[in-house]
Amino acid sequence: MTRLAALLSAALPFVLQAFTPEVALSVAPTNIVLSEKAEATICITLPRRLVANPSISANFIPEGARLSMERRQVQLDGKVAWQYVVKVPVEGDEAGVRTLGPVIAQIPVRTDFFGMVSRSAELKSGTVTLTVVAPPEDGRPGSYCGAIADGFDAVASVDSNVCTSGDPLLFTLELSGATDPSMVYAPSVADAFKGTSFRLDEASLKTETLAASKRFTWRVRAIGAGTVEIPSVPVAWFDLRSRSYRIDRTVAIPVQIKAGEQATLGGVDEIGGETDEFPMPDGIEIPFVPANFTLKHALSLAVRANNEKEFATAAERYAAF
């Protein structure tokens, strides 16, 4: 028996000293995935009911945290005992092995005339370990977005279902269900748009963090004419239940693209086809390579313009860049 435990026992009536007071610490589960939560249980066992609840502290209990303590009467080896139980959620916010504890419990053993604790004894628990692992790199899909979830939802939308050929649209992807939305990042969606009637401007990506989701927005440009679809986009996430990666796909979105005069110069369709190449007329040289799709188009229109209207069209494309 330690000196502190002896002090506590000495402060209790002899007839109630059925066993040595103790504080026990456990955690379940002992292995979790990054951003998942485990639960630590602190159980203080005493031979009598206290006039005030014990106070506790530990390296995994946030400073100033308001904890609910359950008091219950139990039978231990045929003797009456009192247990004070506290459950504390522990988040796996960093991969690795984490040591929890010890828990320090201050047990009130004497009160003054006004009911204030005038004497207490200290009990200390052992320690436990919690292992936190990150989703494995092996087998990780290219469309992984960093989400770790029990359930996951990927919803795509577009700001208009009707546009004119050459018009920019806003394509939005909202991802919800992740245990920690701050870990979610934009998945690669470029491959889904290849060979479609839309050109994705990857550099236009904007990110918005909401209360329980992450929202990503890109600018896309409509090509050609007709009723076509914004493609279905694959999004991979890590499923906590199966401990494996899953891939969801967004629903394709129908869009009506109308042919427009702004898309044509001199009877030549500058926007149609399945390519983003806009060749310059012979004899025109540009001292740099415009990698952005919209900028290529604007330059091509500008050098081919024959009047103010056509040049204004080029200026509009450049403004969109």
Side-chain angles (χ1 to χ4, degrees):
M1 180 184 297
T2 66
R3 185 190 307 176
L4 293 174
L7 173 63
L8 179 60
S9 294
L12 300 173
F14 177 78
V15 69
L16 295 178
Q17 295 178 19
F19 50 82
T20 301
E22 67 171 3
V23 53
L25 171 65
S26 61
V27 62
T30 56
N31 292 271
I32 60 175
V33 177
L34 194 65
S35 87
E36 194 177 14
K37 290 183 180 180
E39 185 176 69
T41 300
I42 302 165
C43 183
I44 304 169
T45 304
L46 302 169
R48 72 170 186 177
R49 178 175 174 176
L50 302 175
V51 293
N53 285 344
S55 62
I56 57 175
S57 62
N59 59 356
F60 59 90
I61 301 177
E63 186 176 352
R66 299 178 63 89
L67 303 175
S68 176
M69 182 172 288
E70 177 191 359
R71 182 183 63 219
R72 61 196 183 197
Q73 188 180 49
V74 297
Q75 291 284 333
L76 295 178
D77 297 328
K79 305 291 185 180
V80 174
W82 289 87
Q83 289 184 337
Y84 295 79
V85 181
V86 177
K87 295 184 182 295
V88 183
V90 182
E91 295 188 6
D93 52 5
E94 185 176 348
V97 178
R98 181 179 176 184
T99 299
L100 306 182
V103 175
I104 307 299
Q106 299 291 339
I107 312 299
V109 295
R110 181 179 298 173
T111 59
D112 59 21
F113 177 78
F114 300 100
M116 303 296 290
V117 176
S118 60
R119 189 179 183 186
S120 63
E122 183 180 280
L123 292 179
K124 182 184 293 187
S125 75
T127 61
V128 296
T129 58
L130 175 66
T131 301
V132 183
V133 298
E137 293 187 9
D138 291 343
R140 181 176 296 175
S143 58
Y144 181 55
C145 68
I148 302 172
D150 285 324
F152 185 75
D153 197 20
V155 178
S157 61
V158 66
D159 63 336
S160 178
N161 294 92
V162 179
C163 66
T164 299
S165 182
D167 283 350
L169 298 174
L170 293 179
F171 171 72
T172 298
L173 182 63
E174 186 164 343
L175 308 179
S176 60
T179 53
D180 184 356
S182 67
M183 296 176 60
V184 179
Y185 52 84
S188 176
V189 299
D191 286 347
F193 281 85
K194 289 181 179 178
T196 70
S197 297
F198 300 91
R199 294 292 177 267
L200 175 76
D201 184 357
E202 294 186 79
S204 67
L205 172 63
K206 293 183 179 180
T207 302
E208 184 180 1
T209 301
L210 306 178
S213 64
K214 219 45 173 307
R215 181 181 293 163
F216 306 97
T217 303
W218 293 264
R219 186 172 59 242
V220 299
R221 191 167 296 278
I223 306 297
T227 299
V228 294
E229 288 185 337
I230 292 282
S232 170
V233 173
V235 182
W237 54 286
F238 189 79
D239 186 358
L240 285 173
R241 297 179 184 179
S242 64
R243 291 294 197 269
S244 63
Y245 290 105
R246 292 182 54 183
I247 298 177
D248 288 355
R249 298 192 68 94
T250 63
V251 177
I253 306 170
V255 174
Q256 182 182 359
I257 304 176
K258 299 179 180 180
E261 182 180 349
Q262 62 178 355
T264 304
L265 284 181
V268 178
D269 184 1
E270 296 287 349
I271 306 248
E274 295 295 329
T275 176
D276 63 356
E277 295 296 331
F278 295 101
M280 299 297 169
D282 293 339
I284 299 295
E285 294 184 2
I286 297 178
F288 64 94
V289 177
N292 180 275
F293 169 82
T294 305
L295 181 57
K296 285 182 181 180
H297 190 199
L299 292 173
S300 177
L301 292 178
V303 298
R304 295 172 183 271
N306 294 312
N307 52 55
E308 289 185 5
K309 181 178 179 181
E310 292 176 352
F311 191 80
T313 300
E316 181 184 344
R317 293 295 185 275
Y318 184 78
F321 169 74

